[in-house]
Amino acid sequence: MNQMNFQKELEKLLEGLSTMPENLGGEAGCEPPRLFLHSCCAPCSSYVLEYLCPYFSITVFYYNPNISASEEYRKRVEEQKRLIAAYNEERKGYPIRVVEGDYEPERFWAVAEGYEDCPEGGERCFRCFAMRLGKTAERASAEGYDYFGTTLTISPLKNAAKLNEIGLALAGKYGVAWLPSDFKKKDGYKRSIELSARYELYRQDYCGCAFSKAERDALRSQNV
């Protein structure tokens, strides 16, 4: 699994798809494939949506129970909606929809139980990925999407191989195709920073959970 180049796998898939025709509709019977895309935040989704919306009819699924503070959650989800509205107004590609999942932080605490002392990027994070992607796959299957995927692989701090491993396992379970990705490749992460600046997006400096916030605060205190 770790030897697979997921960016190249994605590029191969996109080569087989047609890009959006200028009239946004295309010929009858040539509708784009439908992608149910989990998004962790607006900044990470900025490049991913720009990259994929000429190929897919995308529904962004904002489902992040790991965000511990409700005010932080609301700030992030509103930024996600604002970015998508801007992209649709600019007609960057096929129109993008957004669906907000339930905000249920108790689910995160349940999967984190017993893993409180794990370092960031370890098993606790993997369990969190599986929770979020599991809900994404379940809904994608139930609603008849062609693919499901996530923006999480754009982060240099996230384990893209593990995310793809989880996604592929869920694809088998729910019978919906996984969109392979390593969006940080090809300067994807750099482009997300540029787009975040252009749209003046709120860029958080921790994943959202109480554990990553505590780690961030500890690092800040050391640098004072």
Side-chain angles (χ1 to χ4, degrees):
M1 180 64 64
N2 291 338
Q3 301 303 313
M4 187 178 293
N5 187 319
F6 293 103
Q7 174 59 30
K8 288 193 178 297
E9 291 299 311
L10 176 58
E11 289 172 4
K12 289 178 187 176
L13 190 155
L14 296 182
E15 285 174 5
L17 300 177
S18 300
T19 55
M20 179 197 68
E22 290 186 3
N23 66 4
L24 287 180
E27 299 297 328
C30 294
E31 292 83 3
R34 299 172 68 228
L35 169 63
F36 200 59
L37 180 68
H38 167 263
S39 176
C40 54
C41 63
C44 285
S45 73
S46 59
Y47 164 72
V48 177
L49 292 174
E50 180 185 66
Y51 180 35
L52 296 180
C53 70
Y55 299 94
F56 295 96
S57 173
I58 302 173
T59 296
V60 169
F61 183 43
Y62 192 87
Y63 179 68
N64 297 294
N66 58 302
I67 302 175
S68 301
S70 60
E71 61 272 19
E72 180 74 13
Y73 172 87
R74 289 260 44 102
K75 186 173 185 178
R76 295 189 192 192
V77 77
E78 291 307 319
E79 283 293 87
Q80 181 71 80
K81 293 175 180 179
R82 182 170 71 85
L83 174 67
I84 290 172
Y87 274 18
N88 283 337
E89 185 174 348
E90 294 169 13
R91 298 167 71 92
K92 281 183 172 285
Y94 289 105
I96 303 166
R97 295 178 60 244
V98 58
V99 172
E100 183 181 349
D102 295 332
Y103 178 49
E104 42 192 9
E106 67 279 1
R107 288 202 65 201
F108 169 74
W109 290 112
V111 300
E113 186 176 359
Y115 297 87
E116 293 85 353
D117 295 330
C118 285
E120 279 294 293
E123 185 61 30
R124 185 183 63 243
C125 294
F126 298 161
R127 290 170 65 84
C128 179
F129 297 160
M131 172 189 65
R132 290 187 276 172
L133 294 184
K135 179 67 76 171
T136 307
E138 181 181 23
R139 286 196 59 165
S141 177
E143 297 175 24
Y145 281 82
D146 300 297
Y147 296 91
F148 76 104
T150 183
T151 64
L152 283 165
T153 64
I154 199 170
S155 171
L157 301 177
K158 299 293 188 293
N159 187 323
K162 189 66 178 180
L163 284 159
N164 280 281
E165 177 185 323
I166 293 168
L168 287 168
L170 289 166
K173 178 179 179 180
Y174 288 101
V176 59
W178 167 249
L179 188 77
S181 70
D182 193 351
F183 291 119
K184 70 178 72 64
K185 300 287 184 68
K186 302 285 188 179
D187 288 329
Y189 180 68
K190 178 182 177 182
R191 178 61 175 162
S192 75
I193 294 174
E194 295 170 352
L195 289 166
S196 294
R198 176 186 299 179
Y199 292 95
E200 299 182 332
L201 298 175
Y202 165 59
R203 285 186 68 87
Q204 62 282 350
D205 57 0
Y206 70 105
C207 86
C209 79
F211 303 104
S212 63
K213 184 176 186 297
E215 186 171 295
R216 180 206 64 180
D217 292 346
L219 289 172
R220 281 183 176 179
S221 65
Q222 292 172 12
N223 295 326
V224 171

